[in-house]
Amino acid sequence: MRFENRVAVVTGGGKNIGRGIAARLASEGAHCVVAGRTEATLEACVADIEAEGGRASAIVCDVRDEESVRRLFSEIESGIGPIDVLVNNAGVEMQKPFVDVSTAEWDDLFAVNTRGVFLCTREALPRFAKSGGAIVNVASAAGLVALPLGAAYGATKAAVIQMSRALAIELRPRSIRVNAVCPGFIDTDMARKGIAAYEEIGLPVRSLIGYRQGRIGTVEEVADVVAFAASEEARFVNGQALAVDGGASVC
């Protein structure tokens, strides 16, 4: 039980990759706090974790909103205790020709994907356990390599990767490790919409994905890597961008 008696926070924890990560951390002993905008999906995630014998709590939070983020971490601190693991997973995606991206769409992508990581990390840090811990930022392979229709989305994730690297250096004296996990195409609603967008305009999806393993990835495969990065097994892994993409980013 790698996370026994640890408190883990997963933003965007109600569905898809976030839900898989929360379930994995809870299965290994963590009290997992799932945060997100939709109460129903958060409660469903908690119910599933508890049905498997795990511990979890749901707190509604909009990572774009400073006051909402402040309430989230204040509630965790007062009701549950110090944080050991923070997984910044909340994110939105968009595939669109660059010239068609509106200013509002650009701002919203950065508000969720980048500002959200900034706000959550800033609020979490004073509430981390004195012994340190781990921050895992869920970025994307789109932050490592360029994808058609992905300039705006990729820019948000590249920013998260660079933030992770810089924080790894800054927080090293506090024994808080920071790594980014970079999924490629994973079997989620978000990825399926992206694949459909590419197919609609005739782009070679199989080539874009890379298909080194002949398939897209699973939520469980991402959760495996996040759990590793958050655990003591990765105690000498810091400031890294760990691709979970079947080799697509090196094709």
Side-chain angles (χ1 to χ4, degrees), residues 175-216:
S175 298
I176 298 174
R177 294 180 300 101
V178 187
N179 290 290
V181 169
C182 304
F185 283 96
I186 305 300
D187 191 12
T188 64
D189 296 338
M190 186 182 292
R192 284 190 289 270
K193 287 179 182 178
I195 291 171
Y198 288 131
E199 289 176 334
E200 186 175 341
I201 63 172
L203 286 172
V205 177
R206 288 178 178 268
S207 174
L208 290 171
I209 293 173
Y211 268 77
R212 284 289 180 91
Q213 294 180 338
R215 60 176 175 83
I216 61 176

PDB file of all heavy atoms in Angstrom, residues 175-216:
ATOM      1  N   SER A 175      11.640  18.939  -0.176  1.00  0.00           N
ATOM      2  CA  SER A 175      11.402  17.513  -0.429  1.00  0.00           C
ATOM      3  C   SER A 175      10.058  17.270  -1.115  1.00  0.00           C
ATOM      4  O   SER A 175       9.385  16.265  -0.869  1.00  0.00           O
ATOM      5  CB  SER A 175      11.488  16.706   0.869  1.00  0.00           C
ATOM      6  OG  SER A 175      12.774  16.796   1.432  1.00  0.00           O
ATOM      7  N   ILE A 176       9.666  18.215  -1.972  1.00  0.00           N
ATOM      8  CA  ILE A 176       8.469  18.045  -2.795  1.00  0.00           C
ATOM      9  C   ILE A 176       8.929  17.858  -4.236  1.00  0.00           C
ATOM     10  O   ILE A 176       9.542  18.748  -4.820  1.00  0.00           O
ATOM     11  CB  ILE A 176       7.518  19.250  -2.691  1.00  0.00           C
ATOM     12  CG1 ILE A 176       7.012  19.416  -1.264  1.00  0.00           C
ATOM     13  CG2 ILE A 176       6.340  19.080  -3.661  1.00  0.00           C
ATOM     14  CD1 ILE A 176       6.175  20.664  -1.043  1.00  0.00           C
ATOM     15  N   ARG A 177       8.669  16.680  -4.782  1.00  0.00           N
ATOM     16  CA  ARG A 177       9.029  16.395  -6.175  1.00  0.00           C
ATOM     17  C   ARG A 177       7.903  16.831  -7.098  1.00  0.00           C
ATOM     18  O   ARG A 177       6.730  16.761  -6.728  1.00  0.00           O
ATOM     19  CB  ARG A 177       9.292  14.904  -6.373  1.00  0.00           C
ATOM     20  CG  ARG A 177      10.499  14.383  -5.631  1.00  0.00           C
ATOM     21  CD  ARG A 177      10.727  12.897  -5.863  1.00  0.00           C
ATOM     22  NE  ARG A 177       9.593  12.100  -5.431  1.00  0.00           N
ATOM     23  CZ  ARG A 177       8.670  11.588  -6.233  1.00  0.00           C
ATOM     24  NH1 ARG A 177       8.743  11.754  -7.547  1.00  0.00           N
ATOM     25  NH2 ARG A 177       7.677  10.877  -5.738  1.00  0.00           N
ATOM     26  N   VAL A 178       8.277  17.276  -8.285  1.00  0.00           N
ATOM     27  CA  VAL A 178       7.289  17.711  -9.271  1.00  0.00           C
ATOM     28  C   VAL A 178       7.619  17.076 -10.619  1.00  0.00           C
ATOM     29  O   VAL A 178       8.732  17.257 -11.137  1.00  0.00           O
ATOM     30  CB  VAL A 178       7.260  19.245  -9.429  1.00  0.00           C
ATOM     31  CG1 VAL A 178       6.105  19.660 -10.341  1.00  0.00           C
ATOM     32  CG2 VAL A 178       7.151  19.939  -8.072  1.00  0.00           C
ATOM     33  N   ASN A 179       6.677  16.340 -11.160  1.00  0.00           N
ATOM     34  CA  ASN A 179       6.843  15.737 -12.483  1.00  0.00           C
ATOM     35  C   ASN A 179       5.590  15.951 -13.311  1.00  0.00           C
ATOM     36  O   ASN A 179       4.496  16.162 -12.768  1.00  0.00           O
ATOM     37  CB  ASN A 179       7.121  14.241 -12.362  1.00  0.00           C
ATOM     38  CG  ASN A 179       8.499  13.947 -11.796  1.00  0.00           C
ATOM     39  OD1 ASN A 179       9.506  14.170 -12.448  1.00  0.00           O
ATOM     40  ND2 ASN A 179       8.543  13.458 -10.561  1.00  0.00           N
ATOM     41  N   ALA A 180       5.752  15.908 -14.604  1.00  0.00           N
ATOM     42  CA  ALA A 180       4.616  15.960 -15.524  1.00  0.00           C
ATOM     43  C   ALA A 180       4.444  14.594 -16.176  1.00  0.00           C
ATOM     44  O   ALA A 180       5.432  13.954 -16.545  1.00  0.00           O
ATOM     45  CB  ALA A 180       4.836  17.023 -16.593  1.00  0.00           C
ATOM     46  N   VAL A 181       3.209  14.150 -16.297  1.00  0.00           N
ATOM     47  CA  VAL A 181       2.881  12.939 -17.043  1.00  0.00           C
ATOM     48  C   VAL A 181       2.166  13.380 -18.311  1.00  0.00           C
ATOM     49  O   VAL A 181       1.237  14.203 -18.262  1.00  0.00           O
ATOM     50  CB  VAL A 181       2.012  11.987 -16.200  1.00  0.00           C
ATOM     51  CG1 VAL A 181       1.456  10.852 -17.059  1.00  0.00           C
ATOM     52  CG2 VAL A 181       2.824  11.424 -15.046  1.00  0.00           C
ATOM     53  N   CYS A 182       2.604  12.857 -19.442  1.00  0.00           N
ATOM     54  CA  CYS A 182       2.157  13.371 -20.743  1.00  0.00           C
ATOM     55  C   CYS A 182       1.465  12.275 -21.553  1.00  0.00           C
ATOM     56  O   CYS A 182       2.118  11.569 -22.348  1.00  0.00           O
ATOM     57  CB  CYS A 182       3.359  13.907 -21.513  1.00  0.00           C
ATOM     58  SG  CYS A 182       4.287  15.170 -20.629  1.00  0.00           S
ATOM     59  N   PRO A 183       0.161  12.112 -21.377  1.00  0.00           N
ATOM     60  CA  PRO A 183      -0.549  11.084 -22.142  1.00  0.00           C
ATOM     61  C   PRO A 183      -0.631  11.434 -23.626  1.00  0.00           C
ATOM     62  O   PRO A 183      -0.731  12.611 -24.002  1.00  0.00           O
ATOM     63  CB  PRO A 183      -1.952  11.078 -21.515  1.00  0.00           C
ATOM     64  CG  PRO A 183      -1.805  11.799 -20.202  1.00  0.00           C
ATOM     65  CD  PRO A 183      -0.711  12.783 -20.413  1.00  0.00           C
ATOM     66  N   GLY A 184      -0.596  10.406 -24.448  1.00  0.00           N
ATOM     67  CA  GLY A 184      -0.928  10.571 -25.851  1.00  0.00           C
ATOM     68  C   GLY A 184      -2.432  10.367 -26.013  1.00  0.00           C
ATOM     69  O   GLY A 184      -3.208  10.749 -25.154  1.00  0.00           O
ATOM     70  N   PHE A 185      -2.830   9.749 -27.116  1.00  0.00           N
ATOM     71  CA  PHE A 185      -4.251   9.461 -27.303  1.00  0.00           C
ATOM     72  C   PHE A 185      -4.648   8.313 -26.375  1.00  0.00           C
ATOM     73  O   PHE A 185      -4.145   7.199 -26.497  1.00  0.00           O
ATOM     74  CB  PHE A 185      -4.548   9.098 -28.759  1.00  0.00           C
ATOM     75  CG  PHE A 185      -4.589  10.296 -29.667  1.00  0.00           C
ATOM     76  CD1 PHE A 185      -3.473  10.667 -30.393  1.00  0.00           C
ATOM     77  CD2 PHE A 185      -5.747  11.051 -29.778  1.00  0.00           C
ATOM     78  CE1 PHE A 185      -3.501  11.780 -31.227  1.00  0.00           C
ATOM     79  CE2 PHE A 185      -5.788  12.162 -30.610  1.00  0.00           C
ATOM     80  CZ  PHE A 185      -4.666  12.534 -31.335  1.00  0.00           C
ATOM     81  N   ILE A 186      -5.542   8.612 -25.454  1.00  0.00           N
ATOM     82  CA  ILE A 186      -6.024   7.654 -24.458  1.00  0.00           C
ATOM     83  C   ILE A 186      -7.510   7.445 -24.693  1.00  0.00           C
ATOM     84  O   ILE A 186      -8.220   8.354 -25.132  1.00  0.00           O
ATOM     85  CB  ILE A 186      -5.767   8.179 -23.027  1.00  0.00           C
ATOM     86  CG1 ILE A 186      -4.283   8.518 -22.832  1.00  0.00           C
ATOM     87  CG2 ILE A 186      -6.222   7.159 -21.987  1.00  0.00           C
ATOM     88  CD1 ILE A 186      -3.315   7.367 -23.019  1.00  0.00           C
ATOM     89  N   ASP A 187      -7.996   6.275 -24.397  1.00  0.00           N
ATOM     90  CA  ASP A 187      -9.390   5.925 -24.669  1.00  0.00           C
ATOM     91  C   ASP A 187     -10.332   6.650 -23.712  1.00  0.00           C
ATOM     92  O   ASP A 187     -10.804   6.089 -22.718  1.00  0.00           O
ATOM     93  CB  ASP A 187      -9.581   4.412 -24.561  1.00  0.00           C
ATOM     94  CG  ASP A 187     -10.944   3.971 -25.091  1.00  0.00           C
ATOM     95  OD1 ASP A 187     -11.628   4.782 -25.743  1.00  0.00           O
ATOM     96  OD2 ASP A 187     -11.320   2.812 -24.841  1.00  0.00           O
ATOM     97  N   THR A 188     -10.591   7.932 -24.018  1.00  0.00           N
ATOM     98  CA  THR A 188     -11.497   8.761 -23.233  1.00  0.00           C
ATOM     99  C   THR A 188     -12.425   9.513 -24.174  1.00  0.00           C
ATOM    100  O   THR A 188     -12.177   9.576 -25.387  1.00  0.00           O
ATOM    101  CB  THR A 188     -10.729   9.797 -22.391  1.00  0.00           C
ATOM    102  OG1 THR A 188     -10.056  10.705 -23.288  1.00  0.00           O
ATOM    103  CG2 THR A 188      -9.712   9.137 -21.472  1.00  0.00           C
ATOM    104  N   ASP A 189     -13.466  10.117 -23.611  1.00  0.00           N
ATOM    105  CA  ASP A 189     -14.375  10.925 -24.427  1.00  0.00           C
ATOM    106  C   ASP A 189     -13.616  12.047 -25.128  1.00  0.00           C
ATOM    107  O   ASP A 189     -13.840  12.338 -26.302  1.00  0.00           O
ATOM    108  CB  ASP A 189     -15.472  11.536 -23.544  1.00  0.00           C
ATOM    109  CG  ASP A 189     -16.366  10.484 -22.906  1.00  0.00           C
ATOM    110  OD1 ASP A 189     -16.415   9.359 -23.440  1.00  0.00           O
ATOM    111  OD2 ASP A 189     -17.001  10.784 -21.879  1.00  0.00           O
ATOM    112  N   MET A 190     -12.689  12.682 -24.403  1.00  0.00           N
ATOM    113  CA  MET A 190     -11.937  13.806 -24.948  1.00  0.00           C
ATOM    114  C   MET A 190     -11.100  13.377 -26.149  1.00  0.00           C
ATOM    115  O   MET A 190     -11.088  14.032 -27.189  1.00  0.00           O
ATOM    116  CB  MET A 190     -11.042  14.409 -23.856  1.00  0.00           C
ATOM    117  CG  MET A 190     -10.316  15.667 -24.271  1.00  0.00           C
ATOM    118  SD  MET A 190      -9.212  16.306 -22.963  1.00  0.00           S
ATOM    119  CE  MET A 190     -10.401  16.827 -21.740  1.00  0.00           C
ATOM    120  N   ALA A 191     -10.392  12.264 -26.011  1.00  0.00           N
ATOM    121  CA  ALA A 191      -9.529  11.803 -27.105  1.00  0.00           C
ATOM    122  C   ALA A 191     -10.346  11.361 -28.306  1.00  0.00           C
ATOM    123  O   ALA A 191      -9.951  11.596 -29.459  1.00  0.00           O
ATOM    124  CB  ALA A 191      -8.639  10.672 -26.619  1.00  0.00           C
ATOM    125  N   ARG A 192     -11.477  10.705 -28.044  1.00  0.00           N
ATOM    126  CA  ARG A 192     -12.304  10.255 -29.174  1.00  0.00           C
ATOM    127  C   ARG A 192     -12.816  11.442 -29.984  1.00  0.00           C
ATOM    128  O   ARG A 192     -12.907  11.372 -31.211  1.00  0.00           O
ATOM    129  CB  ARG A 192     -13.446   9.382 -28.663  1.00  0.00           C
ATOM    130  CG  ARG A 192     -12.999   7.969 -28.279  1.00  0.00           C
ATOM    131  CD  ARG A 192     -14.184   7.057 -28.018  1.00  0.00           C
ATOM    132  NE  ARG A 192     -14.868   7.412 -26.783  1.00  0.00           N
ATOM    133  CZ  ARG A 192     -14.570   6.921 -25.587  1.00  0.00           C
ATOM    134  NH1 ARG A 192     -13.589   6.055 -25.461  1.00  0.00           N
ATOM    135  NH2 ARG A 192     -15.251   7.287 -24.511  1.00  0.00           N
ATOM    136  N   LYS A 193     -13.132  12.551 -29.308  1.00  0.00           N
ATOM    137  CA  LYS A 193     -13.566  13.757 -30.023  1.00  0.00           C
ATOM    138  C   LYS A 193     -12.419  14.306 -30.866  1.00  0.00           C
ATOM    139  O   LYS A 193     -12.625  14.765 -31.992  1.00  0.00           O
ATOM    140  CB  LYS A 193     -14.039  14.817 -29.028  1.00  0.00           C
ATOM    141  CG  LYS A 193     -15.379  14.508 -28.385  1.00  0.00           C
ATOM    142  CD  LYS A 193     -15.770  15.591 -27.392  1.00  0.00           C
ATOM    143  CE  LYS A 193     -17.082  15.263 -26.701  1.00  0.00           C
ATOM    144  NZ  LYS A 193     -17.449  16.289 -25.677  1.00  0.00           N
ATOM    145  N   GLY A 194     -11.206  14.257 -30.313  1.00  0.00           N
ATOM    146  CA  GLY A 194     -10.048  14.726 -31.053  1.00  0.00           C
ATOM    147  C   GLY A 194      -9.783  13.889 -32.284  1.00  0.00           C
ATOM    148  O   GLY A 194      -9.515  14.424 -33.375  1.00  0.00           O
ATOM    149  N   ILE A 195      -9.860  12.580 -32.139  1.00  0.00           N
ATOM    150  CA  ILE A 195      -9.645  11.681 -33.274  1.00  0.00           C
ATOM    151  C   ILE A 195     -10.703  11.929 -34.345  1.00  0.00           C
ATOM    152  O   ILE A 195     -10.405  11.971 -35.540  1.00  0.00           O
ATOM    153  CB  ILE A 195      -9.654  10.216 -32.802  1.00  0.00           C
ATOM    154  CG1 ILE A 195      -8.397   9.938 -31.958  1.00  0.00           C
ATOM    155  CG2 ILE A 195      -9.711   9.262 -33.989  1.00  0.00           C
ATOM    156  CD1 ILE A 195      -8.414   8.598 -31.266  1.00  0.00           C
ATOM    157  N   ALA A 196     -11.955  12.128 -33.917  1.00  0.00           N
ATOM    158  CA  ALA A 196     -13.041  12.398 -34.867  1.00  0.00           C
ATOM    159  C   ALA A 196     -12.789  13.696 -35.628  1.00  0.00           C
ATOM    160  O   ALA A 196     -13.063  13.784 -36.834  1.00  0.00           O
ATOM    161  CB  ALA A 196     -14.375  12.462 -34.129  1.00  0.00           C
ATOM    162  N   ALA A 197     -12.235  14.708 -34.928  1.00  0.00           N
ATOM    163  CA  ALA A 197     -11.946  15.984 -35.585  1.00  0.00           C
ATOM    164  C   ALA A 197     -10.887  15.816 -36.662  1.00  0.00           C
ATOM    165  O   ALA A 197     -10.982  16.400 -37.754  1.00  0.00           O
ATOM    166  CB  ALA A 197     -11.490  17.013 -34.545  1.00  0.00           C
ATOM    167  N   TYR A 198      -9.865  14.999 -36.392  1.00  0.00           N
ATOM    168  CA  TYR A 198      -8.833  14.746 -37.394  1.00  0.00           C
ATOM    169  C   TYR A 198      -9.395  13.963 -38.579  1.00  0.00           C
ATOM    170  O   TYR A 198      -9.109  14.263 -39.738  1.00  0.00           O
ATOM    171  CB  TYR A 198      -7.672  13.972 -36.769  1.00  0.00           C
ATOM    172  CG  TYR A 198      -6.816  14.786 -35.835  1.00  0.00           C
ATOM    173  CD1 TYR A 198      -6.485  14.307 -34.574  1.00  0.00           C
ATOM    174  CD2 TYR A 198      -6.333  16.036 -36.217  1.00  0.00           C
ATOM    175  CE1 TYR A 198      -5.691  15.052 -33.714  1.00  0.00           C
ATOM    176  CE2 TYR A 198      -5.547  16.783 -35.370  1.00  0.00           C
ATOM    177  CZ  TYR A 198      -5.222  16.293 -34.116  1.00  0.00           C
ATOM    178  OH  TYR A 198      -4.443  17.022 -33.276  1.00  0.00           O
ATOM    179  N   GLU A 199     -10.185  12.953 -38.289  1.00  0.00           N
ATOM    180  CA  GLU A 199     -10.747  12.131 -39.359  1.00  0.00           C
ATOM    181  C   GLU A 199     -11.674  12.945 -40.255  1.00  0.00           C
ATOM    182  O   GLU A 199     -11.732  12.731 -41.467  1.00  0.00           O
ATOM    183  CB  GLU A 199     -11.494  10.939 -38.760  1.00  0.00           C
ATOM    184  CG  GLU A 199     -10.560   9.902 -38.128  1.00  0.00           C
ATOM    185  CD  GLU A 199     -11.304   8.773 -37.452  1.00  0.00           C
ATOM    186  OE1 GLU A 199     -12.457   8.998 -37.026  1.00  0.00           O
ATOM    187  OE2 GLU A 199     -10.736   7.667 -37.350  1.00  0.00           O
ATOM    188  N   GLU A 200     -12.368  13.903 -39.641  1.00  0.00           N
ATOM    189  CA  GLU A 200     -13.330  14.715 -40.396  1.00  0.00           C
ATOM    190  C   GLU A 200     -12.641  15.532 -41.489  1.00  0.00           C
ATOM    191  O   GLU A 200     -13.216  15.771 -42.555  1.00  0.00           O
ATOM    192  CB  GLU A 200     -14.080  15.644 -39.444  1.00  0.00           C
ATOM    193  CG  GLU A 200     -15.205  16.426 -40.097  1.00  0.00           C
ATOM    194  CD  GLU A 200     -15.986  17.247 -39.080  1.00  0.00           C
ATOM    195  OE1 GLU A 200     -15.919  16.952 -37.878  1.00  0.00           O
ATOM    196  OE2 GLU A 200     -16.665  18.196 -39.517  1.00  0.00           O
ATOM    197  N   ILE A 201     -11.404  15.960 -41.240  1.00  0.00           N
ATOM    198  CA  ILE A 201     -10.707  16.761 -42.247  1.00  0.00           C
ATOM    199  C   ILE A 201      -9.690  15.936 -43.034  1.00  0.00           C
ATOM    200  O   ILE A 201      -8.894  16.473 -43.798  1.00  0.00           O
ATOM    201  CB  ILE A 201     -10.010  17.977 -41.614  1.00  0.00           C
ATOM    202  CG1 ILE A 201      -8.933  17.543 -40.619  1.00  0.00           C
ATOM    203  CG2 ILE A 201     -11.017  18.888 -40.947  1.00  0.00           C
ATOM    204  CD1 ILE A 201      -8.084  18.702 -40.122  1.00  0.00           C
ATOM    205  N   GLY A 202      -9.734  14.608 -42.832  1.00  0.00           N
ATOM    206  CA  GLY A 202      -8.918  13.716 -43.646  1.00  0.00           C
ATOM    207  C   GLY A 202      -7.468  13.573 -43.246  1.00  0.00           C
ATOM    208  O   GLY A 202      -6.643  13.135 -44.039  1.00  0.00           O
ATOM    209  N   LEU A 203      -7.123  13.922 -41.999  1.00  0.00           N
ATOM    210  CA  LEU A 203      -5.748  13.752 -41.537  1.00  0.00           C
ATOM    211  C   LEU A 203      -5.487  12.279 -41.187  1.00  0.00           C
ATOM    212  O   LEU A 203      -6.388  11.587 -40.706  1.00  0.00           O
ATOM    213  CB  LEU A 203      -5.482  14.624 -40.311  1.00  0.00           C
ATOM    214  CG  LEU A 203      -5.329  16.118 -40.596  1.00  0.00           C
ATOM    215  CD1 LEU A 203      -5.262  16.899 -39.296  1.00  0.00           C
ATOM    216  CD2 LEU A 203      -4.085  16.387 -41.425  1.00  0.00           C
ATOM    217  N   PRO A 204      -4.268  11.795 -41.404  1.00  0.00           N
ATOM    218  CA  PRO A 204      -3.946  10.380 -41.143  1.00  0.00           C
ATOM    219  C   PRO A 204      -3.809  10.115 -39.638  1.00  0.00           C
ATOM    220  O   PRO A 204      -2.722  10.219 -39.069  1.00  0.00           O
ATOM    221  CB  PRO A 204      -2.614  10.194 -41.867  1.00  0.00           C
ATOM    222  CG  PRO A 204      -1.982  11.553 -41.851  1.00  0.00           C
ATOM    223  CD  PRO A 204      -3.130  12.525 -41.966  1.00  0.00           C
ATOM    224  N   VAL A 205      -4.901   9.761 -39.019  1.00  0.00           N
ATOM    225  CA  VAL A 205      -4.932   9.621 -37.570  1.00  0.00           C
ATOM    226  C   VAL A 205      -3.935   8.575 -37.087  1.00  0.00           C
ATOM    227  O   VAL A 205      -3.234   8.777 -36.092  1.00  0.00           O
ATOM    228  CB  VAL A 205      -6.358   9.251 -37.096  1.00  0.00           C
ATOM    229  CG1 VAL A 205      -6.377   9.022 -35.587  1.00  0.00           C
ATOM    230  CG2 VAL A 205      -7.318  10.363 -37.463  1.00  0.00           C
ATOM    231  N   ARG A 206      -3.839   7.456 -37.762  1.00  0.00           N
ATOM    232  CA  ARG A 206      -2.925   6.400 -37.311  1.00  0.00           C
ATOM    233  C   ARG A 206      -1.477   6.896 -37.309  1.00  0.00           C
ATOM    234  O   ARG A 206      -0.692   6.565 -36.432  1.00  0.00           O
ATOM    235  CB  ARG A 206      -3.070   5.153 -38.184  1.00  0.00           C
ATOM    236  CG  ARG A 206      -4.371   4.415 -37.927  1.00  0.00           C
ATOM    237  CD  ARG A 206      -4.519   3.204 -38.828  1.00  0.00           C
ATOM    238  NE  ARG A 206      -5.759   2.507 -38.514  1.00  0.00           N
ATOM    239  CZ  ARG A 206      -5.863   1.502 -37.648  1.00  0.00           C
ATOM    240  NH1 ARG A 206      -4.780   1.081 -37.010  1.00  0.00           N
ATOM    241  NH2 ARG A 206      -7.013   0.921 -37.415  1.00  0.00           N
ATOM    242  N   SER A 207      -1.136   7.715 -38.272  1.00  0.00           N
ATOM    243  CA  SER A 207       0.208   8.267 -38.316  1.00  0.00           C
ATOM    244  C   SER A 207       0.426   9.266 -37.191  1.00  0.00           C
ATOM    245  O   SER A 207       1.479   9.308 -36.553  1.00  0.00           O
ATOM    246  CB  SER A 207       0.434   8.948 -39.670  1.00  0.00           C
ATOM    247  OG  SER A 207       1.669   9.612 -39.688  1.00  0.00           O
ATOM    248  N   LEU A 208      -0.580  10.076 -36.918  1.00  0.00           N
ATOM    249  CA  LEU A 208      -0.469  11.079 -35.862  1.00  0.00           C
ATOM    250  C   LEU A 208      -0.304  10.420 -34.497  1.00  0.00           C
ATOM    251  O   LEU A 208       0.493  10.849 -33.668  1.00  0.00           O
ATOM    252  CB  LEU A 208      -1.722  11.966 -35.836  1.00  0.00           C
ATOM    253  CG  LEU A 208      -1.888  12.932 -37.011  1.00  0.00           C
ATOM    254  CD1 LEU A 208      -3.266  13.575 -36.954  1.00  0.00           C
ATOM    255  CD2 LEU A 208      -0.809  13.997 -36.992  1.00  0.00           C
ATOM    256  N   ILE A 209      -1.087   9.388 -34.253  1.00  0.00           N
ATOM    257  CA  ILE A 209      -1.024   8.699 -32.969  1.00  0.00           C
ATOM    258  C   ILE A 209       0.318   7.995 -32.804  1.00  0.00           C
ATOM    259  O   ILE A 209       0.850   7.879 -31.709  1.00  0.00           O
ATOM    260  CB  ILE A 209      -2.185   7.693 -32.842  1.00  0.00           C
ATOM    261  CG1 ILE A 209      -3.518   8.455 -32.760  1.00  0.00           C
ATOM    262  CG2 ILE A 209      -2.029   6.812 -31.617  1.00  0.00           C
ATOM    263  CD1 ILE A 209      -4.733   7.564 -32.811  1.00  0.00           C
ATOM    264  N   GLY A 210       0.892   7.553 -33.908  1.00  0.00           N
ATOM    265  CA  GLY A 210       2.170   6.861 -33.845  1.00  0.00           C
ATOM    266  C   GLY A 210       1.996   5.362 -33.957  1.00  0.00           C
ATOM    267  O   GLY A 210       2.710   4.697 -34.682  1.00  0.00           O
ATOM    268  N   TYR A 211       1.054   4.842 -33.227  1.00  0.00           N
ATOM    269  CA  TYR A 211       0.727   3.419 -33.282  1.00  0.00           C
ATOM    270  C   TYR A 211       1.943   2.524 -33.116  1.00  0.00           C
ATOM    271  O   TYR A 211       2.053   1.472 -33.727  1.00  0.00           O
ATOM    272  CB  TYR A 211      -0.031   3.079 -34.568  1.00  0.00           C
ATOM    273  CG  TYR A 211      -1.526   3.178 -34.348  1.00  0.00           C
ATOM    274  CD1 TYR A 211      -2.145   4.406 -34.300  1.00  0.00           C
ATOM    275  CD2 TYR A 211      -2.297   2.046 -34.118  1.00  0.00           C
ATOM    276  CE1 TYR A 211      -3.500   4.518 -34.055  1.00  0.00           C
ATOM    277  CE2 TYR A 211      -3.648   2.137 -33.872  1.00  0.00           C
ATOM    278  CZ  TYR A 211      -4.257   3.371 -33.842  1.00  0.00           C
ATOM    279  OH  TYR A 211      -5.590   3.470 -33.590  1.00  0.00           O
ATOM    280  N   ARG A 212       2.888   2.905 -32.266  1.00  0.00           N
ATOM    281  CA  ARG A 212       4.014   2.021 -31.972  1.00  0.00           C
ATOM    282  C   ARG A 212       3.516   0.704 -31.356  1.00  0.00           C
ATOM    283  O   ARG A 212       4.132  -0.325 -31.528  1.00  0.00           O
ATOM    284  CB  ARG A 212       4.977   2.714 -31.008  1.00  0.00           C
ATOM    285  CG  ARG A 212       5.849   3.777 -31.671  1.00  0.00           C
ATOM    286  CD  ARG A 212       6.893   3.114 -32.571  1.00  0.00           C
ATOM    287  NE  ARG A 212       7.742   4.100 -33.219  1.00  0.00           N
ATOM    288  CZ  ARG A 212       8.881   4.538 -32.720  1.00  0.00           C
ATOM    289  NH1 ARG A 212       9.310   4.082 -31.561  1.00  0.00           N
ATOM    290  NH2 ARG A 212       9.605   5.419 -33.371  1.00  0.00           N
ATOM    291  N   GLN A 213       2.389   0.807 -30.602  1.00  0.00           N
ATOM    292  CA  GLN A 213       1.831  -0.394 -29.993  1.00  0.00           C
ATOM    293  C   GLN A 213       0.560  -0.840 -30.703  1.00  0.00           C
ATOM    294  O   GLN A 213      -0.139  -1.724 -30.229  1.00  0.00           O
ATOM    295  CB  GLN A 213       1.568  -0.150 -28.505  1.00  0.00           C
ATOM    296  CG  GLN A 213       2.852   0.080 -27.712  1.00  0.00           C
ATOM    297  CD  GLN A 213       2.593   0.314 -26.239  1.00  0.00           C
ATOM    298  OE1 GLN A 213       1.508   0.697 -25.841  1.00  0.00           O
ATOM    299  NE2 GLN A 213       3.591   0.062 -25.414  1.00  0.00           N
ATOM    300  N   GLY A 214       0.237  -0.208 -31.810  1.00  0.00           N
ATOM    301  CA  GLY A 214      -0.909  -0.619 -32.601  1.00  0.00           C
ATOM    302  C   GLY A 214      -2.260  -0.257 -32.013  1.00  0.00           C
ATOM    303  O   GLY A 214      -3.288  -0.786 -32.434  1.00  0.00           O
ATOM    304  N   ARG A 215      -2.286   0.670 -31.061  1.00  0.00           N
ATOM    305  CA  ARG A 215      -3.558   1.022 -30.403  1.00  0.00           C
ATOM    306  C   ARG A 215      -3.387   2.335 -29.655  1.00  0.00           C
ATOM    307  O   ARG A 215      -2.283   2.848 -29.515  1.00  0.00           O
ATOM    308  CB  ARG A 215      -3.949  -0.064 -29.392  1.00  0.00           C
ATOM    309  CG  ARG A 215      -2.894  -0.254 -28.286  1.00  0.00           C
ATOM    310  CD  ARG A 215      -3.348  -1.271 -27.253  1.00  0.00           C
ATOM    311  NE  ARG A 215      -2.331  -1.561 -26.243  1.00  0.00           N
ATOM    312  CZ  ARG A 215      -2.106  -0.825 -25.165  1.00  0.00           C
ATOM    313  NH1 ARG A 215      -2.811   0.274 -24.954  1.00  0.00           N
ATOM    314  NH2 ARG A 215      -1.159  -1.173 -24.297  1.00  0.00           N
ATOM    315  N   ILE A 216      -4.498   2.876 -29.171  1.00  0.00           N
ATOM    316  CA  ILE A 216      -4.404   3.999 -28.255  1.00  0.00           C
ATOM    317  C   ILE A 216      -4.291   3.447 -26.830  1.00  0.00           C
ATOM    318  O   ILE A 216      -4.475   2.255 -26.590  1.00  0.00           O
ATOM    319  CB  ILE A 216      -5.615   4.951 -28.385  1.00  0.00           C
ATOM    320  CG1 ILE A 216      -6.936   4.242 -28.070  1.00  0.00           C
ATOM    321  CG2 ILE A 216      -5.651   5.555 -29.778  1.00  0.00           C
ATOM    322  CD1 ILE A 216      -8.137   5.189 -28.094  1.00  0.00           C
TER     323      ILE A 216
END
